[in-house]
Amino acid sequence: MIRTATPADVPVIHQLIRDLAEYEKALDEVRATPEQLHEALFGPHPAAYAHIAETDSGDVAGFALWFLNFSTWRGVHGIYLEDLYVRPELRGGGHGKALLTELARLCVARGYERLEWSVLNWNKPSIDFYESLGARPQDEWTVYRLTDEALTGLGS
C-alpha cells in the first residue's frame, strides 16, 4: 500500500500537489513545476522525499512529501511533513494513516525524534484525524514566513 516514490511518479505527485492546493483554497499559489519536483526529489542532492499510497488495484491514492529537519535541543534529525494528501474519494480507507505510520517507522528506525507538520486551523477533519493518532498541536509557537517582496527586500 505504501512505497517510496520513483521518478515516474513526478507527474501524479505534481497533480496531487495541485489538488491539495485547490482543497486549501490556494491553487493560485502553486508555482512548482514537474521539472522542479524531479530535481528536488531525484536530483544529485535531493531536498525532499516522497512516499506514495496505492489502492489494492495499484492506483495512486495519495502521497506524503517530506524533508529532514534538525532539533538543536535533541541533537538529531526529524522529519518535517510538508504535504500529506489522499484523494477525497479514497479517504477513510487507511491511506493517510499508512503514510504517517511509514514516516513514524522511518523516524524510529533512523533515530529521529520528531515527526512534525502544519495544518490549517480551519481543517477540522484533518485535525481530528491527526489527534486520533496521538498528535498534539504545538500552540505555543507561531509560524512566520518571508516570501516574495519581503524576502527579496530583506535578502538584497
Side-chain angles (χ1 to χ4, degrees), residues 3-15 41-42 52 54 60:
R3 63 175 175 78
T4 303
T6 68
D9 293 313
V10 168
V12 74
I13 292 170
H14 185 258
Q15 183 57 56
L41 294 168
F42 304 107
I52 300 293
E54 292 183 337
V60 174

Side-chain angles (χ1 to χ4, degrees), residues 24 26 29 67 80-83 117-120 142-152 154:
E24 293 182 346
E29 295 179 36
F67 55 88
Y80 186 84
L81 175 60
E82 179 67 18
D83 286 333
W117 62 92
S118 298
V119 61
L120 290 165
T142 300
V143 176
Y144 281 83
R145 178 180 295 159
L146 279 172
T147 61
D148 304 323
E149 295 83 19
L151 178 63
T152 302
L154 183 63

Side-chain angles (χ1 to χ4, degrees), residues 15-30 63 83-89 91 118-130:
Q15 183 57 56
L16 291 170
I17 289 169
R18 294 182 57 78
D19 293 348
L20 171 61
E22 186 171 22
Y23 173 75
E24 293 182 346
K25 302 169 181 62
L27 182 57
D28 61 321
E29 295 179 36
V30 176
F63 81 112
D83 286 333
L84 174 72
Y85 183 74
V86 174
R87 295 179 193 266
E89 67 274 13
R91 291 181 188 154
S118 298
V119 61
L120 290 165
N121 292 333
W122 58 260
N123 194 346
K124 181 125 174 66
S126 292
I127 291 168
D128 291 345
F129 167 65
Y130 298 142

Side-chain angles (χ1 to χ4, degrees), residues 72-120:
T72 57
W73 290 12
R74 299 218 173 188
V76 296
H77 281 293
I79 287 178
Y80 186 84
L81 175 60
E82 179 67 18
D83 286 333
L84 174 72
Y85 183 74
V86 174
R87 295 179 193 266
E89 67 274 13
L90 298 171
R91 291 181 188 154
H95 299 49
K97 182 176 182 181
L99 285 163
L100 284 171
T101 298
E102 176 61 14
L103 296 185
R105 187 195 66 73
L106 285 174
C107 286
V108 171
R110 297 177 182 179
Y112 304 161
E113 295 190 13
R114 289 183 178 166
L115 172 55
E116 297 178 310
W117 62 92
S118 298
V119 61
L120 290 165

